[in-house]
C-alpha cells in the first residue's frame, strides 16, 4: 500500500486537459445509488454508469462499468472478463488503496489513482453505444461527462487499456 493520498477531482481534470480531452462536470449532493442519482438525468445527458468493483479467487480486481440500469450476472461474468473464478465484490480497503474512492463512489475514473495497475477496467458494449459517458470524478458529489472514445483514451493513458465486452444481460 502506498502512503500517498488519492488524487483529487482537480488532479483528474488537469490530467484530462493535458490529454486535450474535453469534459464537463456538474456538482450535486452526494449520491450512493442509481436511484438517488436519477433526478439528475434531465440535467446531464449521455450514458449514466454503474460501476462494480469485483475480484476473483486469485485477488485479481476488476471494475465493470455498465449502464446504470443494466444487470450483471455475477455468477457467470467471470467467463466473459477472463477472471480465474466467479467474482465477488472487492473489499472497501482495496477500493481505497487501488482506486482512491469509497464504496458508493466507484468510478471508471478511479483508474487515475491505480498507479500500480492492480485493476482491469471493463466497459460494457451497450454503454459504449452512447456518445457521452458519465461518471463520478473520484467522489460521488459530482458527475463528469466525457466522450466515449475519449474515455478509452483516458484509460489507455493511465496504463489501463480497457476491455470492451458484453457483460450485461
Amino acid at each position: 500500500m502506498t502512503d500517498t493520498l488519492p488524487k483529487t477531482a482537480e488532479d483528474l481534470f488537469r490530467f484530462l486537459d493535458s490529454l486535450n480531452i474535453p469534459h464537463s462536470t456538474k456538482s450535486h449532493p452526494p449520491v450512493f445509488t442509481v436511484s438517488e442519482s436519477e433526478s439528475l438525468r434531465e440535467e446531464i445527458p449521455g450514458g449514466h454508469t454503474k460501476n462494480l468493483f469485483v475480484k476473483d479467487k486469485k485477488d485479481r480486481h476488476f471494475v465493470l462499468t455498465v449502464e446504470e440500469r443494466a444487470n450483471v450476472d455475477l455468477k457467470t461474468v467471470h467467463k466473459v472478463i477472463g477472471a480465474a473464478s466467479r467474482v465477488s465484490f472487492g473489499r472497501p480497503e482495496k477500493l481505497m488503496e487501488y482506486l482512491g474512492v469509497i464504496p458508493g463512489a466507484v468510478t471508471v475514473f478511479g483508474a487515475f489513482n491505480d498507479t500500480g495497475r492492480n485493476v482491469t477496467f471493463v466497459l460494457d458494449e451497450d454503454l459504449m453505444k452512447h456518445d457521452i459517458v458519465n461518471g463520478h470524478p473520484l467522489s460521488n458529489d459530482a458527475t463528469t461527462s466525457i466522450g466515449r472514445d475519449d474515455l478509452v483514451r483516458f484509460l489507455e493513458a493511465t496504463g489501463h487499456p480497457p476491455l470492451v465486452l458484453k457483460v450485461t444481460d
Side-chain angles (χ1 to χ4, degrees):
M1 184 160 151
T2 64
D3 291 327
T4 58
L5 291 172
K7 295 176 185 88
T8 65
E10 290 72 30
D11 296 328
L12 172 66
F13 302 149
R14 279 193 294 277
F15 183 68
L16 292 171
D17 290 343
S18 76
L19 296 171
N20 294 313
I21 291 178
H23 56 92
S24 64
T25 298
K26 178 161 183 53
S27 296
H28 51 70
V31 292
F32 292 90
T33 66
V34 167
S35 297
E36 290 177 20
S37 66
E38 285 182 330
S39 63
L40 305 169
R41 293 304 158 258
E42 290 182 20
E43 302 173 45
I44 307 171
H48 293 270
T49 57
K50 170 171 57 178
N51 296 273
L52 306 176
F53 180 65
V54 298
K55 68 174 214 59
D56 66 14
K57 70 179 178 185
K58 292 189 176 181
D59 280 336
R60 290 181 50 216
H61 289 79
F62 302 82
V63 168
L64 310 178
T65 301
V66 304
E67 284 187 289
E68 65 184 353
R69 289 284 175 202
N71 292 315
V72 176
D73 185 348
L74 292 180
K75 293 181 178 127
T76 60
V77 74
H78 66 284
K79 297 173 188 173
V80 178
I81 65 174
S85 65
R86 282 190 181 179
V87 297
S88 59
F89 289 106
R91 295 195 337 260
E93 301 82 28
K94 289 296 183 188
L95 182 60
M96 178 54 74
E97 178 183 344
Y98 294 160
L99 304 182
V101 298
I102 60 170
V106 180
T107 175
V108 67
F109 293 118
F112 188 49
N113 278 315
D114 184 26
T115 56
R117 296 183 179 94
N118 296 294
V119 179
T120 299
F121 286 81
V122 180
L123 305 174
D124 187 57
E125 282 180 357
D126 288 344
L127 175 68
M128 297 305 282
K129 292 176 183 172
H130 293 277
D131 292 333
I132 301 293
V133 177
N134 298 292
H136 293 308
L138 306 177
S139 64
N140 61 355
D141 60 355
T143 298
T144 296
S145 303
I146 186 173
R148 165 194 61 225
D149 297 336
D150 288 331
L151 177 59
V152 171
R153 203 158 53 90
F154 158 77
L155 286 167
E156 289 171 345
T158 66
H160 297 86
L163 302 175
V164 179
L165 302 167
K166 177 74 171 140
V167 296
T168 55
D169 297 339

